[in-house]
Amino acid sequence: MNKIILAELLAVLLLAGVMFLLLYKKDPADVPLTLVNDALTGSFSTDGMEPAGDMRFKRSYGLNAADYEEILYYIPDNTMSVNEFLVVKCVNEADTDTVVRACEARLATQKKAFDGYGTNQTALLNHAELYSSGPYVCLFVSEQASEWLAAVKQVWGE
């Protein structure tokens, strides 16, 4: 009988611990995307990439840049490359779902475009980093994608 009570008590404590961990979420620091840009372009090579503006963002993702607080977007400088990074700071966290869905659609479109002949590009797209935290959404497509994400998380204090 005592073993059953002890097991139940341990299960309750374990459940409480898991719930605490799930509810405890450290939001990223509120930093301007210029700091994110400095961290990425200062530490990593952006050879073969160039900054993109609001019109290219709309064409690639179907979203209006004016609907978001800030956007940092680099695109490939040629049509046979898929390297890009996007960081969007949404006005509120409710908008992040829209941006995540647009990023998923962008990845699907790119995968379809390179399917069958762009094996290197398809591999990069399959290992892209899509991340959302607080009001931010990031999409990184590159051999450096995981390093870029780690750098951004460090800027945000995560």
Side-chain angles (χ1 to χ4, degrees):
M1 181 88 118
N2 287 338
K3 289 182 180 182
I4 294 172
I5 293 172
L6 182 61
E8 288 176 352
L9 182 61
L10 287 175
V12 168
L13 288 174
L14 180 64
L15 181 61
V18 169
M19 288 177 59
F20 175 76
L21 290 175
L22 290 175
L23 294 175
Y24 177 76
K25 178 184 172 191
K26 184 177 179 184
D27 287 331
D30 185 15
V31 297
L33 292 188
T34 54
L35 292 178
V36 173
N37 185 51
D38 292 346
L40 291 174
T41 59
S43 301
F44 302 99
S45 172
T46 56
D47 290 343
M49 299 174 68
E50 60 191 19
D54 296 349
M55 292 300 289
R56 182 61 190 260
F57 174 69
K58 173 137 177 100
R59 189 170 76 195
S60 297
Y61 291 90
L63 301 172
N64 293 316
D67 295 340
Y68 303 97
E69 193 168 323
E70 289 183 272
I71 293 172
L72 175 62
Y73 186 34
Y74 278 71
I75 58 173
D77 64 0
N78 68 67
T79 57
M80 287 307 296
S81 178
V82 293
N83 291 343
E84 67 180 76
F85 68 75
L86 172 69
V87 182
V88 178
K89 183 178 182 183
C90 298
V91 175
N92 58 57
E93 287 187 43
D95 296 333
T96 60
D97 289 338
T98 301
V99 178
V100 167
R101 284 193 306 274
C103 290
E104 290 168 343
R106 169 77 174 159
L107 283 172
T109 299
Q110 289 289 83
K111 287 176 187 178
K112 185 176 179 182
F114 287 97
D115 185 36
Y117 73 92
T119 55
N120 293 338
Q121 294 90 336
T122 302
L124 291 176
L125 291 164
N126 285 333
H127 293 94
E129 294 282 352
L130 178 56
Y131 179 76
S132 176
S133 181
Y136 298 98
V137 177
C138 306
L139 174 62
F140 301 117
V141 181
S142 168
E143 290 179 356
Q144 307 175 90
S146 59
E147 290 87 1
W148 286 348
L149 180 58
V152 169
K153 286 181 176 181
Q154 185 175 7
V155 170
W156 290 338
E158 290 188 3

